Amino acid sequence: MEVSTMDMDGDKNGDSFKRFLVFLPVIIGILAFIFMLDLIIGSVTIPVDAFVKIITGGQVKETWMHIFWDWRMPKAITALLAGGSLALSGLLMQTFFRNPLADPYILGISSGASLGVAFVMLSAGIFSAGTILGSFGFVGDMSISLAAIIGAFMVLLLIIVISAKIQSNITILVLGIMVAYMSSAMVTILLQFSDQSAMHAYSFWTFGSFSGVTWSQLPIMTTLLCMGYILSICLVKPLNALLLGEQYAESMGMNYRRIRHGIIITTAFMAGGVTAFCGPIGFLGIAIPHFCRSIFVTADHRILVPGCILLGGIIALLTDIISHLPGTDIVLPLNAITALFGAPVVIWVILRGTRFGRGVIS
Amino acid sequence: MPQKFMKKTKYALIVSVAVILCLSSIVLGDSEYLFKDKVFPEYAKGFTVEYHDTYKVVNLIDPWGRATENYTYLLVQRGEKIPPGYPNARVFFIPLQKVVTLSTVHIPFISTLNETQSIVGHNGVNLVQDEDFCKRVRQGDIVEIGSGELSMNTLLKMEKLIELDPDAVFCVANGNKEYDNHYKLQEAGLKPVITAEWMEESPLGRAEWIKFFSVFYNKEKIANQVFDRIKNNYFEIKEKVRNCSQKPTLFSGIDYQGSWYAPGENSYVAALFADAGGTYVLGDDTNRGDTILDFESVYEKAHAADYWINIGYADNIDELLALDQRYQKFKAFQDNRIYHYNARVNEHGGNDYWQSGIIKPDVILADLVKILHPDLLPNYTLYYYQHINAT
């Protein structure tokens, strides 16, 4: 990925940053609108006046209250945060590896999470895992998410240990991919020895969904993802410096090793958090950073970090709306929708990038 | 004159009757001799059987409606010649003596026909709950040729399978060429027989596949007896609920991350619910298999339903809540009226509901009637189902 140095230069870049600030309220407005849309649209039709009553605390049918507060609200919040996190961790990885095809899972984090979940679902069984974790004080529907977090964290530890010894980013990239292969191999072996209902449960998990998150899980997920947001915002300056190479970053007086660990840990928080609660959701992480660069015509992370958070949220909410096929009872797997709508976006961006040469991808 | 005429017609009648009798004995004689008992499916739509003198023709009708996947099986009595005129048929010499079964659903059919001794190999022996079968496994007479998972042909131990040299390999077609293993078996020179009892729309139609199996063993007599008993039992139980004024509402299936997997309106499960005197609230599509619904629309339709029957891959209340705590919002949960068909599961996870349950729809129906209308079957105890205690 080649980046125009123009954008990186503080003075000249001021213009696009100012322009972004002007656009910011518009984007937030769109986000708020789509968020409301996700709450209003669903397979059960709730009229707008009832919808207003629910928000203002009026009396409506009890089932509508439950549908709104227990299903749609956590789902919309999850989509909002998960979309932003996936976009952001995709951005971090693309900048870190200077590779336009990098995604949040390139370090093997989702494979680690999958292995954790597979282990719980396939070998131990949902119930026994529940009791094991229950003895540590965790309750109810946390066992699967916890397994995913533990799995992701193990992979992360491995990567950090390796990256402490290895200088080259490409080597880390290859190692991440190898770790992913190894964990999926272990998942396959677990699958072979498990009974069919557990296999189905596992395969549903891999479809990915924002709907599985309950109010009891939401605080934990929000904490993880918001930590990722804050760390990313702190990383804006080093990320910009990284675009010009490691040496440039070090010549600016930055500790490259610390930056590297910072980026890896931040990605792990966000990608691991999303995978734990929503399953491995693909494509948003790779597509949205490109989308942002293209829309804001910049590689400046001061713009891209908030841009990814907002646009990630918008697009995740949109895919959620589409996957629930408004007006029908049917719901499609989220991963199918993200790829179906994400792929054309990336293609469009890549073609646009070459034509206009806007410094997105060369 | 009229008397003469009468006499004439009398003779003519006698002669013609004699001729007809003679002719019919020539036409039917041989087939009567070889295949005295015949089966004809009443409820099952997946196959037809024709009887001839030394052979039978079984037509398998593709359950997905594709003309390319209709198969003709030519079942020739051992020692007889293969009849001409069936160039595309797959030939089997009956009665079969050595078979391999790729699915646990085949076992109850074969076992009920007292032909378990013909099974020499099976895919997933640990899952089977049949007594005769398990005995043969312990004696080492049945070879494990897979891992129990139907849909991955790569997991079949092909070499062992070929070495067994069975007369037929019973396999399940799921409609997806990628996953169906009969193509591969055919290539390897084996003789696959496809069964599609799981695509039948009625519970009796599924059980009636015992007739399909009986044709391969010349055991039509037993098949007819067994099936008639099942049918009579089934209708007897169904009759009991006919006059019930109360038809409790119920829903079925389970959600995973926002997608609710429930039986479709035309599925055999929905048929069982209806026959057991229940009102199935999720059935308003035309799906034969499972249908995928949105969680919120299921909640809207089923929140006040009286019963929750079949909870998918959860086995108890803790697992149910580990999957999603929002299940507590259903009235059936609060009223402690959840039932699941996992009363007979062995230590390897093999569930008898999916095995002998296929051939005992009358027992499943009785279970459901006991759940929905306990007063109608006061002395009956649940067989496949158990109460999932939510308190």
Side-chain angles (χ1 to χ4, degrees), chain B residues 19-300:
Chain B
V19 167
I20 288 168
L21 276 174
C22 274
L23 276 175
S24 61
S25 70
I26 290 165
V27 172
L28 297 170
D30 278 344
S31 82
E32 288 275 310
Y33 173 67
L34 258 183
F35 308 121
K36 250 195 290 188
D37 297 293
K38 300 182 176 62
V39 289
F40 297 102
E42 293 170 66
Y43 299 89
K45 291 175 183 154
F47 67 96
T48 60
V49 187
E50 288 166 33
Y51 288 87
H52 298 268
D53 49 358
T54 57
Y55 61 96
K56 312 172 194 176
V57 180
V58 177
N59 285 303
L60 188 83
I61 300 142
D62 181 64
W64 297 272
R66 299 162 303 193
T68 51
E69 300 280 314
N70 293 331
Y71 292 109
T72 303
Y73 298 135
L74 196 58
L75 275 49
V76 184
Q77 181 70 25
R78 280 179 193 273
E80 301 285 347
K81 271 184 275 177
I82 299 171
Y86 299 94
N88 295 323
R90 295 177 183 176
V91 180
F92 297 87
F93 287 98
I94 53 165
L96 300 178
Q97 287 166 350
K98 223 162 55 165
V99 303
V100 167
T101 45
L102 295 195
S103 166
T104 46
V105 301
H106 300 136
I107 307 301
F109 291 114
I110 296 175
S111 171
T112 310
L113 295 168
N114 292 323
E115 289 288 348
T116 318
Q117 83 284 346
S118 69
I119 302 171
V120 291
H122 181 72
N123 177 19
V125 290
N126 289 339
L127 302 174
V128 179
Q129 295 209 20
D130 186 84
E131 214 169 284
D132 287 350
F133 184 93
C134 293
K135 209 171 125 197
R136 275 178 65 77
V137 171
R138 280 194 299 275
Q139 289 166 354
D141 295 334
I142 295 177
V143 179
E144 171 66 86
I145 49 105
S147 66
E149 181 47 43
L150 304 172
S151 54
M152 294 186 190
N153 52 26
T154 48
L155 295 182
L156 284 181
K157 296 169 188 159
M158 277 308 247
E159 293 178 10
K160 265 192 182 169
L161 190 49
I162 293 165
E163 201 192 346
L164 285 171
D165 189 28
D167 297 337
V169 180
F170 286 106
C171 52
V172 174
N174 60 23
N176 184 346
K177 279 201 171 189
E178 301 281 309
Y179 294 125
D180 280 351
N181 31 38
H182 54 273
Y183 305 103
K184 183 90 186 162
L185 295 171
Q186 189 86 15
E187 256 179 49
L190 292 158
K191 297 169 129 192
V193 176
I194 296 163
T195 68
E197 78 296 320
W198 63 281
M199 284 299 285
E200 294 292 340
E201 285 174 35
S202 73
L204 285 174
R206 284 160 69 97
E208 205 175 17
W209 275 72
I210 192 172
K211 293 182 179 173
F212 179 84
F213 283 84
S214 74
V215 174
F216 288 83
Y217 290 103
N218 286 346
K219 288 262 177 128
E220 281 93 339
K221 194 175 173 186
I222 300 183
N224 281 329
Q225 284 169 355
V226 169
F227 184 71
D228 288 343
R229 203 186 59 228
I230 295 167
K231 191 175 70 179
N232 294 339
N233 257 345
Y234 191 94
F235 284 118
E236 209 175 288
I237 300 162
K238 190 179 166 185
E239 191 59 30
K240 280 192 203 301
V241 294
R242 217 173 61 128
N243 298 323
C244 274
S245 50
Q246 288 282 337
K247 296 219 163 180
T249 50
L250 65 97
F251 66 107
S252 183
I254 196 165
D255 171 85
Y256 203 81
Q257 297 202 333
S259 306
W260 189 285
Y261 288 73
E265 177 161 38
N266 289 341
S267 67
Y268 79 100
V269 185
L272 278 164
F273 291 155
D275 289 346
T279 311
Y280 179 48
V281 296
L282 297 183
D284 58 352
D285 75 338
T286 51
N287 213 318
R288 274 204 276 177
D290 266 8
T291 171
I292 302 169
L293 301 167
D294 200 358
F295 200 147
E296 60 177 71
S297 73
V298 171
Y299 180 70
E300 165 97 343

Side-chain angles (χ1 to χ4, degrees), chain A residues 15-357:
Chain A
D15 290 345
S16 63
F17 188 62
K18 267 180 207 151
R19 206 169 56 226
F20 174 70
L21 288 180
V22 174
F23 274 123
L24 199 58
V26 180
I27 298 166
I28 293 174
I30 295 172
L31 181 67
F33 175 73
I34 304 275
F35 186 82
M36 294 293 271
L37 213 59
D38 195 32
L39 290 175
I40 296 172
I41 296 176
S43 46
V44 174
T45 314
I46 300 179
V48 178
D49 55 324
F51 182 75
V52 174
K53 269 189 201 156
I54 292 170
I55 293 176
T56 53
Q59 278 299 308
V60 290
K61 250 168 71 178
E62 205 195 325
T63 54
W64 287 353
M65 292 287 280
H66 281 308
I67 286 171
F68 183 82
W69 288 113
D70 291 323
W71 276 283
R72 289 191 188 172
M73 193 53 112
K75 188 185 71 172
I77 295 172
T78 306
L80 177 74
L81 292 173
S85 302
L86 288 173
L88 207 47
S89 38
L91 175 72
L92 293 187
M93 287 295 102
Q94 286 172 5
T95 304
F96 182 58
F97 289 119
R98 271 182 269 169
N99 185 332
L101 292 175
D103 70 7
Y105 304 136
I106 202 146
L107 291 176
I109 287 162
S110 83
S111 318
S114 307
L115 184 60
V117 170
F119 195 74
V120 165
M121 281 194 182
L122 303 176
S123 71
I126 302 159
F127 175 54
S128 42
T131 32
I132 295 164
L133 296 167
S135 59
F136 290 106
F138 298 108
V139 282
D141 48 8
M142 285 303 299
S143 58
I144 290 163
S145 316
L146 233 111
I149 291 172
I150 292 168
F153 201 75
M154 302 281 259
V155 170
L156 171 75
L157 266 180
L158 194 68
I159 297 286
I160 287 181
V161 168
I162 293 166
S163 70
K165 302 223 189 287
I166 289 166
Q167 280 300 312
S168 157
N169 283 356
I170 293 298
T171 314
I172 296 176
L173 185 79
V174 173
L175 283 171
I177 294 168
M178 288 306 122
V179 169
Y181 272 114
M182 273 158 58
S183 13
S184 65
M186 282 190 264
V187 170
T188 314
I189 291 171
L190 280 172
L191 278 172
Q192 183 162 1
F193 290 106
S194 57
D195 67 77
Q196 286 184 27
S197 62
M199 256 173 101
H200 286 149
Y202 176 75
S203 68
F204 295 147
W205 181 79
T206 62
F207 287 171
S209 165
F210 297 131
S211 314
V213 183
T214 57
W215 280 113
S216 59
Q217 297 172 330
L218 208 54
I220 301 164
M221 193 192 78
T222 312
T223 316
L224 278 175
L225 302 190
C226 288
M227 250 149 69
Y229 283 3
I230 294 164
L231 284 170
S232 309
I233 291 165
C234 298
L235 283 170
V236 160
K237 241 181 157 179
L239 282 169
N240 276 344
L242 267 188
L243 285 177
L244 299 172
E246 295 162 29
Q247 274 110 28
Y248 180 82
E250 280 182 340
S251 75
M252 301 240 322
M254 292 169 182
N255 181 338
Y256 180 63
R257 184 160 286 181
R258 266 181 59 190
I259 298 172
R260 190 151 86 167
H261 283 168
I263 292 174
I264 293 175
I265 291 171
T266 311
T267 307
F269 269 131
M270 294 189 291
V274 173
T275 313
F277 293 97
C278 309
I281 292 170
F283 231 90
L284 295 178
I286 191 171
I288 294 168
H290 290 304
F291 195 53
C292 279
R293 287 193 200 96
S294 167
I295 280 191
F296 302 122
V297 203
T298 182
D300 182 357
H301 287 81
R302 283 185 301 168
I303 298 170
L304 289 180
V305 167
C308 276
I309 294 175
L310 297 172
L311 278 179
I314 291 174
I315 292 170
L317 284 163
L318 272 176
T319 51
D320 182 58
I321 293 173
I322 297 169
S323 83
H324 281 83
L325 293 178
T328 67
D329 281 351
I330 310 164
V331 54
L332 296 174
L334 191 67
N335 268 333
I337 302 297
T338 54
L340 210 59
F341 289 85
V345 170
V346 173
I347 292 168
W348 171 65
V349 166
I350 289 170
L351 294 181
R352 216 173 94 110
T354 49
R355 191 171 153 204
F356 295 102

